[in-house]
Amino acid sequence: MESAIQQTALDVQATLAGKQVFLTGATGFLAKVVLEKLIRAVPGIGGITLLIRAGRDDTGARARFQLEIATSSVFDKLRAERPHFLETFFAEKIHCITGEITEPAFGLPLARFAELARNTDLIINAAASVNFREALDEALAINAHSVQNVAALARTANAPLVQVSTCYVNGFNKGEMREEMVHPARAAIARHRHGHYDLDGLLAHLQRRIDQVRKSVSEPAELARRLTAIGIEEANYFGWNDTYTFTKWMGEQLAAEAMHGRALSIVRPSIIESTLQEPAAGWIEGVKVADAIILAYARGKTSFFPAKPEEIVDIIPADLVANSIVLAGVEALNDAPAHRIYQACSGSGNPVRLGKVIELIQNESRRNWRNYERLFFKAPRHRFRVVGRPTFLLMLRAMAAGLALRSGLRQLLGLGESPALEALRTTQTLAQTFSFYTAPQYRFHNDGLLALTQRFGAQDELDFPVDPRLIDWRDYLCRIHMGGLNRYALRARPAGQRPPPGEKHAMTRRDYAWHRMDTEKNLMVINSILLFEGPVDMQRLTATIAYRLPNYPRFTQKVKRRLGLPQWVEDEHFDIHQHIRLESTEKEVGLAELQSRMTELAHQPLDEDRPLWHMTVIDQAGGGHAIVFRVHHCITDGLGLVHVLNHLTDDNGLHGQTPSLAGHPHRALEAEGAYAPTLARARSSLKIAAHIGRLGMLWPDLRTRLKAPLSGQKQLVWLPPLDLQKVRIASKRMGATLNDTWVAAVSGALRQYLQERGQDADSRALRAAVTFNLREKANAFQLGNEFGLVAVDLPTDLDDPCERLRRSSARMTAIKRSHQPRATMAFLSLAGCLPTALQHFALNLFTSKGSVVLTNIEGPGSRRYLAGSRMTDLICWVPQAGRIGVGLAFISYAGQIQLALFVDTHLVPDPERLMELTQHAFAELELATRDAVEEVVSIATPLAPAT
C-alpha cells in the first residue's frame, strides 16, 4: 500500500493550493529565488511566512521585508508583468515574523510559537552562514544548532521539513558522491542505529574549545580570529575543508535525529551561481564562489590560481536549485514520512571541466570586456593560469620575496607600496578560501532528483526544470552569467553625483604627506563622535548621508598610487553601506564603555581599498545614539570636517529625509589677493625658508615622561562640556582669545600633572605643536589641509594662572604676525615630495621639538540635526604625528566647549587625571581672571572716606 502511495503522480499546483509555507533565510540569495518562484508559479498557495531577525536598529520583520526583500530586482519580472498581483500577494499572503532562528522557539512566546505551528504545512529551511571561514561558534549556531529549532517547529506542526544543505558536506571523501548520508573522511564519529551520526560528544568537545578561547581572549577581533582558526582545525581533523561544510554536515545529522519517523528532505546544491532562465537569465545577488576569482582577474589583482583544470567543477544555476526544493517539498507533502536526500548538481549529468570554464570566461573577457562596464574597467592584460598546488606555493614564495624587495625600494623612493604586492595578497586570500572547490576529488550524482521529476506531469517538468542537461555551458558562462554578474551583482554609480568613469585628480603634496604619515603607533585619522537624542532611524540616516556626502568628491574616491603624486580616483563600486555600520547593543552604553569602544575603533586602520572614511552607529548611547565618524587626515583638516558636518546636518529636525540641494557646498570662491606681486611673494618665500631653518635648529623639547618612546596603545577620553560663554568672558577680561585661554589652561594642567608625578616643572617650559588655520572659511568646501603647526613654548614654568594667560597671549600674538604657520605648511608640502623614509626622518626631527599637539576647532554655533535627530554633543580628536604621543583638543558646539584627550598610554597611563586637571585649569582661570579684574578695579577706584 505504501509503495502505491509513493508512486502516485505528483502535482505542484494541487498540492500547494491553500498551503502555508514557512521559509527561513529570506534575506539571502537562494531563498529569494525560491520565494519569487512560489509567488509567480504557484499563485494559489495559501501563504508564505518568513522568519526574519530584527535589524540592527531594531527594525521589525515586516520593515526589513519591505526594505530588503520586496525591493529586490528578483521581482522585476513580476513588477513589470503583474504589478497589482505582486502588490496584493505581498499584502495578503506574505506574513513576517520577527524571530531569531538560533534561539529555541525562535525567541517567540510559546503561545505565539504554537499558533505558528498550527498555521504551517511545509517548512523550507534555507537559512545558513555561507562564510567558508566563519568563527566556529557562529557557524555552529546558524548551520547546526538552529536546525534543531526549525525541526522543533516541524514536529509541533507535524509538517515536512526541507533542509537546504550543500553537496560539499562530502568533505575530503573522494570518488562518486551519491545521494546518501555522508560519513566523515578522517576521524571516526559514532553512527546511530537509525543511520545518522551521533553528535553529542562532538558538540560537547567543540563547546569546550570555544569556552576555553572565550576565557583567554576578550578582544573581539582576536576572539573571532581564534575561533575561526579552531573551526578550521577541527573541520580538517574530522574530514572537512572549512567550518561551513563541517557545520552544514552537522546540520544534516541534527535534522535526521530530530525528524526521526517524520518527513525530512535534504536538498544539497553544489556551487550555486546565477539563474539559467527565471525570473531572468543571469539574476544573481552578490559575488559568489567563482565570481570572486573572476572579479579579481577583471581588476588585475590575480592572474594565477591553484587548481586542477582536468577535474570537473560542479556549478548549478540558482533557479534549478529552487525548483528542486519545491519538488522535494511537494513530494514530502504527498508521500509517507521518510528521509530523502537530493543533490542539485551538474557533475554527473552535464559535466564541465575547470579548464574549460577558465577558457570560456577568459576568451569572453579578452574579446568583449567593453560589454561588461561594471566588471572590467580596462582590457585584461594577462592570461589567467592555473597551476598545481606545490607549484603555486613555490611561485607565491618567490614572488613574495621579489616584491617585498621591490616594495621596499619603492617606499624609499616615496612611491608607495607596489600594486603587485596587493595583487599577491589577493591571490593568497582567494586560494586560502576557494582552492578546495577548484581542485575537486569527487563527482556528485543526482539520480534520485532526476527520478523524482518523472513523477510529475509534463507541465510541472516544464515549469520546474531541474535537469542540468539544459545548460549550454558556453552560452551560460559567457552570455548569461557574466552578463548577470555585470548587471545585478555589481553596483552602478548614482547618476549625477559622481565624476565620469576614469576621472582622476592628483593629490596635493600636503595631503600626500598626511597620507604617508600613518605609522603603526600613530594613525593619521581624525576621530570624532556625534551624540544624538532618541533612537536612530537607520534608513533615514543612511539615505541622508548617501544623498549629501557624495557632494564632496573625496568621500567617494580612493587613493591610487602611481609614479609621482598619487591620485584621487572614483571608487567604481562605492557602496554607502560599506561605510556606515550599525552596532546594536543590548543595553545602554555608558560613558566609560563608550570611551572604550571609541578607543578600539581609533586603533583600526581605514580600508585602503575604499574611500578613507567610516561611520559606526551605536544605537544606545548617552540616552540616545552615537555616530563615530572617522576620516583620514589626507581628506581634510578640522575646519574642512566642520564644513562637511554642517552640510550633512540641518538647523531643525524636519529635514534629512528628502534633502534639497540648497546650500550645495561646491561654489568656487576666488580668494582675494591670490596674485600678489612677484617681489612680495619672493620676500615671503625667503621668510618662510628662514623659519623652516630656525625650526630645524631648535633644541629638542624638555625630557619628561611625555617624551618617552611610544607604545602605540592609545586611549581617547572626554569630559562633560564647559560653558563657552564663561570661557569667553574669562578671555575678554585679560584681552585674550579663546585659543590663548586654551593654551594657558593646558599649560596649567600639564604643569600640575608633571608635578604630581615628581617632575620639576619650574626649570624650563614644555613646547607644544599648536595647529594654526590658514584657510578662509568660505573655501572650506575644498577640503584638503590648509593649516600650519607652530612650535609654542607653553608657560608650564609659571605658577600664576593669570601670568600664564598673559604669556600665552603674547606668544600666540607674535606667532600670528610671523611666517611660522606658513613655514610649517610649506614644510609639509616639501615633505610630500620626499621619499617616504626621508619624510619620516624629517617629521621625527620636527616633532622631537615638542611634547604635545594642541588643537582648537570652531564647530557649529547652533544646534544641528541629522536625519531628524538632535545632536547634543560633538567631540573631536586629532592624531599626533611622528614621536608625539599626547594630543589635546577642544571643539566648540552650540554654546559649549568639549575637551578631548588622545594619548599614548605609555606616556599618560591615567588620561582621565590629565583631562580632569585641564577642566580644573579652566575653572582656575575663570576665578583668577575675575579676581584680577576686581583687584584692578579696587586699585583704580579711590576708597570712600570713613564716616
Side-chain angles (χ1 to χ4, degrees):
M1 180 66 179
E2 181 178 325
S3 177
I5 294 175
Q6 289 179 341
Q7 294 307 312
T8 302
L10 302 176
D11 186 309
V12 173
Q13 305 295 334
T15 300
L16 293 180
K19 293 292 193 297
Q20 295 290 332
V21 176
F22 180 83
L23 175 65
T24 69
T27 57
F29 167 53
L30 178 61
K32 283 192 181 81
V33 181
V34 174
L35 177 63
E36 193 277 341
K37 185 62 181 244
L38 288 173
I39 295 172
R40 180 168 47 82
V42 195
I45 197 169
I48 304 172
T49 300
L50 308 178
L51 178 69
I52 305 174
R53 65 168 49 164
R56 290 184 174 179
D57 53 352
D58 277 340
T59 304
R62 192 76 203 185
R64 281 197 70 191
F65 169 78
Q66 296 291 352
L67 182 66
E68 300 176 34
I69 302 173
T71 58
S72 171
S73 57
V74 76
F75 297 110
D76 282 355
K77 181 176 182 179
L78 276 170
R79 267 190 288 266
E81 296 177 354
R82 292 186 282 167
H84 180 68
F85 163 76
L86 182 65
E87 184 179 343
T88 303
F89 195 104
F90 281 167
E92 298 178 359
K93 292 190 176 184
I94 294 291
H95 314 292
C96 301
I97 292 182
T98 305
E100 177 51 66
I101 196 171
T102 60
E103 295 181 10
F106 311 133
L108 303 173
L110 292 181
R112 181 71 183 91
F113 184 76
E115 179 187 3
L116 173 63
R118 286 193 296 272
N119 292 295
T120 298
D121 298 304
L122 173 66
I123 298 169
I124 300 172
N125 182 27
S129 167
V130 293
N131 180 354
F132 294 163
R133 303 181 69 83
E134 182 75 270
L136 181 58
D137 57 342
E138 291 289 330
L140 277 172
I142 300 172
N143 294 337
H145 293 307
S146 67
V147 177
Q148 296 172 307
N149 302 326
V150 176
L153 175 66
R155 292 197 307 272
T156 306
N158 195 26
L161 169 61
V162 178
Q163 170 68 21
V164 181
S165 184
T166 172
C167 283
Y168 293 92
V169 294
N170 285 281
F172 292 147
N173 287 299
K174 299 178 182 180
E176 307 300 318
M177 300 293 108
R178 309 283 178 182
E179 294 160 304
E180 56 193 26
M181 196 63 76
V182 174
H183 63 83
R186 291 182 174 171
I189 298 175
R191 190 163 190 173
H192 196 277
R193 60 189 178 87
H194 292 141
H196 62 270
Y197 287 82
D198 192 339
L199 301 188
D200 290 346
L202 173 60
L203 291 172
H205 162 71
L206 296 177
Q207 190 60 51
R208 281 194 298 271
R209 294 209 63 185
I210 292 169
D211 293 341
Q212 288 171 356
V213 173
R214 284 177 174 163
K215 287 177 183 177
S216 61
V217 179
S218 57
E219 200 278 317
E222 177 62 16
L223 179 62
R225 189 192 69 78
R226 291 277 299 277
L227 288 174
T228 299
I230 66 168
I232 299 295
E233 176 189 326
E234 292 289 346
N236 292 169
Y237 176 79
F238 285 98
W240 284 269
N241 177 67
D242 46 45
T243 48
Y244 167 66
T245 51
F246 185 35
T247 53
K248 288 297 286 184
W249 177 82
M250 286 189 269
E252 287 192 6
Q253 310 312 310
L254 294 173
E257 179 183 23
M259 296 297 289
H260 176 65
R262 299 172 183 271
L264 169 67
S265 297
I266 295 173
V267 176
R268 295 177 184 155
S270 54
I271 299 173
I272 306 176
E273 288 293 353
S274 59
T275 56
L276 178 65
Q277 296 172 333
E278 295 183 321
W283 188 82
I284 193 170
E285 186 177 63
V287 174
K288 308 307 174 191
V289 176
D291 309 327
I293 303 171
I294 295 172
L295 190 59
Y297 171 66
R299 298 290 189 272
K301 293 186 176 182
T302 190
S303 59
F304 70 106
F305 199 77
K308 295 182 178 180
E310 71 282 359
E311 297 291 345
I312 294 169
V313 60
D314 205 303
I315 297 171
I316 191 74
D319 50 340
L320 302 192
V321 181
N323 294 337
S324 303
I325 291 169
V326 173
L327 297 187
V330 169
E331 178 194 35
L333 283 167
N334 280 276
D335 289 358
H339 288 189
R340 306 171 178 93
I341 297 175
Y342 297 117
Q343 294 186 158
C345 54
S346 61
S348 57
N350 186 10
V352 60
R353 301 194 183 278
L354 181 61
K356 186 64 175 179
V357 172
I358 294 170
E359 177 192 336
L360 291 172
I361 291 178
Q362 182 166 248
N363 289 343
E364 175 69 9
S365 301
R366 294 172 74 88
R367 282 196 308 264
N368 300 316
W369 63 273
R370 290 182 181 83
N371 295 338
Y372 310 106
E373 74 286 351
R374 301 182 192 176
L375 183 58
F376 289 92
F377 300 155
K378 56 186 178 181
R381 295 175 55 193
H382 305 290
R383 297 196 69 84
F384 190 85
R385 295 170 295 159
V386 292
V387 296
R389 188 162 188 81
T391 304
F392 175 79
L393 294 174
L394 187 62
M395 290 173 66
L396 274 186
R397 293 191 188 100
M399 291 178 68
L403 287 172
L405 178 60
R406 179 181 173 187
S407 188
L409 291 173
R410 286 175 60 90
Q411 295 283 351
L412 286 174
L413 295 172
L415 302 178
E417 186 181 80
S418 170
L421 199 57
E422 178 191 358
L424 187 66
R425 282 196 289 265
T426 300
T427 301
Q428 286 179 300
T429 301
L430 290 170
Q432 184 181 47
T433 306
F434 302 122
S435 60
F436 170 74
Y437 300 90
T438 57
Q441 300 184 68
Y442 37 54
R443 180 168 57 174
F444 304 125
H445 289 262
N446 62 346
D447 300 333
L449 179 62
L450 294 178
L452 173 61
T453 63
Q454 301 303 308
R455 299 184 56 201
F456 288 84
Q459 189 60 48
D460 281 342
E461 284 194 65
L462 186 64
D463 292 341
F464 297 90
V466 301
D467 194 335
R469 287 173 291 188
L470 293 169
I471 305 169
D472 177 326
W473 287 113
R474 180 181 298 276
D475 185 55
Y476 174 73
L477 291 171
C478 297
R479 181 183 67 84
I480 295 174
H481 180 61
M482 286 187 65
L485 186 63
N486 184 72
R487 178 179 179 184
Y488 296 108
L490 304 178
R491 291 179 178 273
R493 193 168 43 199
Q497 290 187 347
R498 317 272 295 284
E503 184 169 334
K504 302 173 182 178
H505 300 277
M507 182 180 279
T508 67
R509 292 184 177 90
R510 282 192 300 278
D511 295 343
Y512 185 35
W514 283 106
H515 183 257
R516 293 194 303 174
M517 227 178 278
D518 274 320
T519 66
E520 290 183 0
K521 297 179 179 179
N522 275 331
L523 294 176
M524 293 300 105
V525 176
I526 303 174
N527 297 282
S528 59
I529 187 167
L530 291 64
L531 301 176
F532 294 88
E533 291 180 340
V536 61
D537 182 339
M538 274 304 291
Q539 183 178 359
R540 185 175 177 182
L541 172 66
T542 304
T544 302
I545 301 297
Y547 186 91
R548 297 185 178 188
L549 199 56
N551 284 328
Y552 299 90
R554 295 293 177 266
F555 286 87
T556 59
Q557 294 171 332
K558 58 185 180 181
V559 179
K560 181 178 181 181
R561 293 184 177 90
R562 55 184 283 275
L563 290 173
L565 289 174
Q567 294 178 326
W568 296 104
V569 179
E570 281 297 306
D571 181 1
E572 292 293 328
H573 301 291
F574 177 76
D575 180 358
I576 194 71
H577 297 93
Q578 298 287 349
H579 293 266
I580 303 178
R581 182 169 61 88
L582 177 67
E583 284 191 3
S584 293
T585 58
E586 295 181 356
K587 59 181 181 179
E588 178 73 16
V589 176
L591 177 62
E593 190 177 354
L594 191 58
Q595 288 182 343
S596 176
R597 181 59 184 140
M598 186 80 206
T599 298
E600 290 175 2
L601 292 170
H603 281 85
Q604 298 176 8
L606 294 167
D607 188 346
E608 288 281 346
D609 290 330
R610 297 193 179 104
L612 294 171
W613 67 275
H614 192 269
M615 286 183 177
T616 301
V617 183
I618 302 172
D619 64 351
Q620 297 187 74
H625 64 279
I627 298 176
V628 178
F629 189 16
R630 306 184 67 231
V631 180
H632 199 284
H633 218 314
C634 69
I635 289 180
T636 190
D637 53 24
L639 183 60
L641 184 60
V642 170
H643 193 281
V644 171
L645 289 175
N646 271 322
H647 184 66
L648 291 180
T649 57
D650 303 290
D651 57 7
N652 60 63
L654 302 178
H655 304 299
Q657 191 137 27
T658 53
S660 69
L661 284 174
H664 190 282
H666 299 121
R667 291 183 300 233
L669 301 174
E670 205 169 294
E672 294 183 10
Y675 303 100
T678 303
L679 185 60
R681 282 190 283 117
R683 187 184 301 121
S684 176
S685 298
L686 287 173
K687 289 182 178 179
I688 286 173
H691 270 286
I692 292 177
R694 203 171 297 139
L695 284 170
M697 290 186 291
L698 277 177
W699 286 101
D701 199 16
L702 186 65
R703 191 74 178 178
T704 66
R705 67 174 301 137
L706 303 182
K707 291 297 290 182
L710 305 182
S711 69
Q713 292 301 309
K714 301 284 189 173
Q715 189 168 343
L716 293 84
V717 294
W718 70 92
L719 287 177
L722 303 174
D723 187 324
L724 176 60
Q725 188 61 19
K726 287 184 178 180
V727 179
R728 184 172 281 134
I729 290 171
S731 304
K732 287 183 176 180
R733 287 179 186 142
M734 303 296 290
T737 66
L738 278 175
N739 196 36
D740 299 338
T741 307
W742 162 238
V743 172
V746 170
S747 300
L750 290 171
R751 171 185 173 85
Q752 181 67 27
Y753 183 81
L754 291 175
Q755 285 180 332
E756 288 179 357
R757 278 137 196 84
Q759 294 193 284
D760 179 22
D762 292 326
S763 60
R764 181 180 158 194
L766 288 179
R767 194 179 295 125
V770 180
T771 60
F772 197 98
N773 176 57
L774 293 170
R775 188 203 330 247
E776 294 293 330
K777 287 184 182 179
N779 293 329
F781 70 89
Q782 294 172 336
L783 302 189
N785 289 274
E786 294 278 342
F787 71 96
L789 279 170
V790 296
V792 179
D793 287 330
L794 301 178
T796 53
D797 52 341
L798 299 177
D799 185 51
D800 181 78
C802 288
E803 186 58 31
R804 283 198 300 268
L805 180 53
R806 291 189 189 98
R807 191 73 59 84
S808 297
S809 180
R811 289 172 180 170
M812 294 303 294
T813 300
I815 286 171
K816 290 174 191 175
R817 296 169 180 169
S818 77
H819 281 72
Q820 190 182 152
R822 294 199 175 275
T824 54
M825 189 167 74
F827 170 80
L828 286 173
S829 294
L830 179 64
C833 302
L834 297 173
T836 304
L838 286 179
Q839 176 185 314
H840 284 294
F841 172 78
L843 188 68
N844 288 335
L845 180 66
F846 178 74
T847 57
S848 70
K849 314 300 182 184
S851 297
V852 299
V853 174
L854 302 184
T855 302
N856 78 89
I857 302 170
E858 183 182 352
S862 59
R863 291 289 179 192
R864 305 296 294 173
Y865 296 77
L866 179 56
S869 296
R870 186 168 79 102
M871 185 164 68
T872 57
D873 283 298
L874 169 60
I875 307 109
C876 189
W877 295 262
V878 293
Q880 306 96 49
R883 294 172 179 169
I884 295 181
V886 180
L888 295 106
F890 88 70
I891 183 168
S892 61
Y893 169 63
Q896 62 191 34
I897 291 176
Q898 189 63 257
L899 307 178
L901 177 64
F902 191 13
V903 297
D904 188 296
T905 54
H906 184 235
L907 278 56
V908 182
D910 50 351
E912 296 83 1
R913 177 57 181 162
L914 181 53
M915 192 89 277
E916 182 182 313
L917 289 173
T918 306
Q919 196 170 46
H920 289 169
F922 272 103
E924 182 185 40
L925 271 172
E926 183 190 356
L927 184 60
T929 55
R930 186 190 309 154
D931 291 345
V933 170
E934 289 174 356
E935 182 180 347
V936 170
V937 170
S938 67
I939 293 173
T941 305
L943 291 174
T947 56

